[in-house]
Amino acid sequence: MEIAPCERLDIISAPSGWSCLCSDLTELILSYLPIVSIVRASSVCKFWRSVATRPSFAARLSASKKPWFFLCGQNNVSCANNQAFGYDPEIDEWIRLPASLFPHISQVENLVGSGGFFFTTSLSSHSSFCYAPVLRATWRQTQPLRFSRYSPLIGVFDGGGDGMEFKFIVVGGVQFFGGLVDIEDKLAVEIYDPRLGSWELCPPLPSDFSQGSRLSSAVFKGQFFVYDVFSGFVSSFDLTAHEWSGVQTLRPPGVLFSFLVACKEQLVLAGLCSVVAPQGNSFNLWKVDQQTMEFSEIAIMPQELLNCLIDSDEDSQFACLKCVGHDDLVYVFNDSPYGVYPAYVCEIRGSATGCTWKKLPHLPPPVNRYHRMISFCSTVPLASVL
């Protein structure tokens, strides 16, 4: 059998060898690279870029790449001191994000991240709402929200069709008007469809979640879960039927505060527990049944790691602990103002292998001082960086 030129073992020229690879094999090889390296590789030649921009390649990456952890610091005195970082778990490195991602950050009072997007709302313009992919400075402004909002819960979910469409749900976050709170609509819910360019008003969040509640949220299997960090109240919104479930209480014994996280195959509750023992408090993870809200413990942070997250027993230090996660990764960190922002990640594995904890590297210097730290965990769609 005659051997084709590109199959000979005496190939001397590396470039000619690469050029002989079929597109499917090139796609497979590129898929093993981290996101940053794929972006660089796509600039090498037209053929590699054509492979990197294929829908099949994007689908392969979405199924294999771990989500990034994002930290965005806002300085109330000078927007020039705002900074943003993304942690790529595949290379165990922080990447400093360009300031161009936030061209109008000084004009907004609120920045939120979720599901591969940044969102901004502005009270000065009453009901402004903008969004942009996490790594691309292409901000789009929607039609105005019906209600002015500050720090709303925002979720991104599949909008149907070919699976490439998405919708946004915005829950709560209504702020004061002239010193008076809008009592009637303080728990308002709206859904935005980018294809239609319009908002749909939905049933409000149950009244058990008061205006002063500190809430976390999770999109999981067609439901948008809202969880009260301190009381343990939880309710879910059916993203198809547009109905809220009854309010239940999800609060393991001894929990001081906790956060609800949507992982790949399960809901996870992560929280600080008061323990009557020599070592003091503990940080625990529980698996939560979506239907019954029953829970079972799956991991406890090693005590020495928890001690590194807090430098005193003051309540303010514990209150600075935050938790976000996605796709079997749960990040726990301290966002104390002017701190060094220590962080750890827990990878949730199968029952046979348990969970593993790992310390994240320090943020790349210089790190400015911030008055507010925004954090979230998200996959990075390749389309947002190519």
Side-chain angles (χ1 to χ4, degrees):
M1 182 178 68
E2 183 178 358
I3 298 177
C6 63
E7 296 175 332
R8 294 175 56 187
L9 300 179
D10 59 347
I11 292 176
I12 298 176
S13 171
S16 64
W18 275 99
S19 64
C20 286
L21 292 177
C22 66
S23 60
D24 289 343
L25 185 55
T26 301
E27 178 180 309
L28 176 62
I29 294 172
L30 291 179
S31 70
Y32 285 101
L33 298 175
I35 292 289
V36 174
S37 298
I38 292 174
V39 173
R40 293 169 180 165
S42 68
S43 301
V44 170
C45 63
K46 291 182 179 179
F47 174 60
W48 283 11
R49 184 165 186 85
S50 68
V51 172
T53 53
R54 285 178 176 178
S56 61
F57 185 66
R60 183 192 293 268
L61 289 187
S62 65
S64 62
K65 295 303 180 187
K66 294 183 179 296
W68 286 24
F69 174 41
F70 292 90
L71 287 179
C72 307
Q74 283 187 281
N75 186 288
N76 296 339
V77 177
S78 172
C79 64
N81 289 327
N82 294 338
Q83 291 178 308
F85 307 89
Y87 171 76
D88 184 350
E90 287 198 87
I91 59 176
D92 190 30
E93 289 183 9
W94 286 100
I95 298 171
R96 186 185 298 275
L97 304 182
S100 59
L101 285 176
F102 312 106
H104 60 304
I105 202 67
S106 59
Q107 282 77 48
V108 301
E109 290 84 3
N110 187 38
L111 175 69
V112 181
S114 178
F117 293 89
F118 284 128
F119 303 92
T120 63
T121 59
S122 176
L123 296 178
S124 59
S125 59
H126 181 68
S127 54
S128 171
F129 187 91
C130 300
Y131 66 95
V134 290
L135 297 180
R136 177 176 291 178
T138 52
W139 287 91
R140 298 183 181 181
Q141 184 166 359
T142 71
Q143 292 292 322
L145 288 154
R146 295 192 181 211
F147 308 101
S148 180
R149 301 179 186 260
Y150 184 80
S151 294
L153 298 175
I154 300 179
V156 182
F157 63 98
D158 183 6
D162 57 6
M164 301 300 290
E165 302 293 341
F166 52 85
K167 293 182 180 180
F168 306 138
I169 181 171
V170 182
V171 177
V174 173
Q175 184 65 322
F176 296 92
F177 295 92
L180 299 175
V181 69
D182 188 333
I183 300 297
E184 181 179 358
D185 297 306
K186 66 181 180 179
L187 302 173
V189 175
E190 297 179 66
I191 290 179
Y192 181 74
D193 188 338
R195 293 172 298 180
L196 301 178
S198 60
W199 291 94
E200 178 183 357
L201 187 62
C202 299
L205 187 66
S207 58
D208 302 72
F209 301 92
S210 65
Q211 178 70 23
S213 298
R214 181 179 169 189
L215 306 177
S216 71
S217 62
V219 177
F220 185 72
K221 294 186 177 180
Q223 303 283 326
F224 183 77
F225 288 84
V226 175
Y227 180 76
D228 191 307
V229 170
F230 292 106
S231 72
F233 290 156
V234 61
S235 181
S236 63
F237 181 80
D238 189 307
L239 294 168
T240 300
H242 292 185
E243 297 176 348
W244 286 99
S245 69
V247 177
Q248 298 176 263
T249 300
L250 174 59
R251 189 178 175 86
V255 167
L256 300 176
F257 58 85
S258 51
F259 302 87
L260 195 61
V261 176
C263 289
K264 182 183 297 184
E265 300 295 338
Q266 59 195 356
L267 281 174
V268 173
L269 189 68
L272 187 72
C273 288
S274 177
V275 179
V276 182
Q279 66 268 25
N281 296 319
S282 67
F283 196 92
N284 299 28
L285 303 183
W286 298 269
K287 176 182 178 180
V288 179
D289 185 278
Q290 179 185 6
Q291 303 298 329
T292 65
M293 290 294 113
E294 294 181 353
F295 53 86
S296 58
E297 187 177 278
I298 56 176
I300 300 178
M301 178 184 288
Q303 193 63 37
E304 61 272 19
L305 302 189
L306 181 59
N307 293 339
C308 292
L309 277 176
I310 53 178
D311 54 18
S312 73
D313 292 332
E314 297 180 3
D315 292 342
S316 59
Q317 284 295 313
F318 290 115
C320 291
L321 291 183
K322 301 294 186 300
C323 182
V324 296
H326 183 64
D327 195 19
D328 298 342
L329 295 180
V330 177
Y331 293 91
V332 186
F333 59 100
N334 188 319
D335 71 348
S336 175
Y338 314 127
V340 294
Y341 309 107
Y344 292 87
V345 60
C346 179
E347 183 172 3
I348 302 175
R349 303 179 184 273
S351 58
T353 54
C355 302
T356 58
W357 293 87
K358 177 181 177 180
K359 182 179 181 180
L360 271 60
H362 294 299
L363 293 175
V367 178
N368 299 329
R369 290 190 171 187
Y370 316 121
H371 296 90
R372 181 173 181 240
M373 181 65 81
I374 300 98
S375 59
F376 69 104
C377 182
S378 171
T379 54
V380 178
L382 192 60
S384 70
V385 291
L386 288 182

